[in-house]
Amino acid sequence: LSLSTSMNSASRFYVTKINTERFNNFWSGNYNSGIYDGTVHVKIRLDNSILTHELYKTYDFSSALWWNGITDNVIIYGPNDTVPAGITPFYVTFATDSSIDSSTFGATVPNGMTYSTFLSLSSAGQHSLLASDWNSVTIYLNGRTGSSNPFVMHISSSSDRETQINKVICHEMGHALKLAHPSQSDTSASIHSFANEHGSYPDQISVYAIMNQGLFNDSYSALTAAIPQDHDCINLISKWEYHLDCEH
């Protein structure tokens, strides 16, 4: 909604249609730390593997803070932010892993587990872990170097590459906040499925969201956003305002 008097009504009043029967695209379970009086406090840490990697810059991780301000129930502190006294936050650590295949930008793994150990679990084991209570999260960005890194392989423009890096950091941070892909549900036979959802979208080009997978500028995934959208915001609010401490 824009209040500019120079715009016509079609430009000023633009409405995005969302199928409300397809909500609860988030995982069950809560955090074992960082929740005080219903407010989630999350602290971001950067592993040395991130700080020394040729591709990722410290300022890229400000994109993980894009989830701030959507709900008062979630407060995210950046790598250089000080957590208030008396608060033991939920820690999300960004690291790199060079063993991630060249088609994968990043992965979110809870409870101190390595990426390779997570992959060795059965689908049921992965599903159970994602839906459990978490004590921490590690977000692994692809640690390959040079042209074998997917951010370099699939994106030629340096500005688009920077946008995609920020998109992936924010996307994976969404997973750390227990948000799921819009196209996945407990009937999708996916490790990202979750219980008690209201149903997945038939594919990830049915709703505009940063939680869609893929490139933000891919013609197929045209509805993969570079920043959080209405669908993402509604699910974050639903997860941490209405479903905190319940079985959803």
Side-chain angles (χ1 to χ4, degrees), residues 1 7 16 27-28 63 74 79 94 98 115 119 145 153 169 175 195 211 224 237:
L1 173 64
M7 301 172 70
T16 301
W27 298 322
S28 58
S63 60
V74 174
F94 283 87
S98 57
Y115 178 69
L119 286 185
T145 57
M153 291 176 62
I169 289 171
H175 282 322
M211 292 313 296
T224 296
I237 291 169

Side-chain angles (χ1 to χ4, degrees), residues 190-202:
S190 165
I191 63 168
H192 291 96
S193 60
F194 53 101
N196 300 317
E197 94 299 336
H198 291 174
S200 66
Y201 285 89

Side-chain angles (χ1 to χ4, degrees), residues 34-41 72-74 86-87 240-241 244-245:
I35 299 178
Y36 296 82
D37 298 323
T39 300
V40 178
H41 297 262
D72 291 339
N73 288 43
V74 174
I87 296 292
W240 295 110
E241 288 191 17
L244 184 64
D245 296 326

